[in-house]
Amino acid sequence: MKLSNIKPISFLKSDAARIVTELSETREPLIITQNGEAKLVVQDIASYEAQRQTIALLKILALGEKEIAQGKVTMAADVFAELDQLDKKDGA
């Protein structure tokens, strides 16, 4: 992250329209400080949505790993056999 992407809250107040344009173009987040301390991050909506999707996928992976560790698994061959049985019942 570029150091120029850290600005005081007064910058956010006075340059909001320009910030929207820049963030939409660069897709780089902007860190806002208050009294010299980082307080919030501003980012464009496309980056925000991509980040949310990434987090959702990571949660699914973590859940899958947890279920594997707990032994909550079914062998693929068993799943396919069950699906074959369901197909035979539906075809009859």
Side-chain angles (χ1 to χ4, degrees), residues 65-81:
E65 286 182 351
K66 181 180 176 184
E67 288 181 351
I68 290 169
Q70 294 173 345
K72 296 180 180 178
V73 295
T74 303
M75 299 301 293
D78 294 340
V79 172
F80 290 126

Side-chain angles (χ1 to χ4, degrees), residues 27-42:
R27 298 200 58 189
E28 289 287 327
L30 174 66
I31 297 172
I32 300 296
T33 62
Q34 187 176 34
N35 300 323
E37 185 178 327
K39 289 292 184 178
L40 61 97
V41 176
V42 181

Side-chain angles (χ1 to χ4, degrees), residues 3-12 18-19 22 30-34 40:
L3 210 51
S4 63
N5 286 347
I6 301 173
K7 301 288 183 188
I9 196 164
S10 59
F11 179 75
L12 178 64
R18 187 173 70 150
I19 290 169
E22 285 181 15
L30 174 66
I31 297 172
I32 300 296
T33 62
Q34 187 176 34
L40 61 97

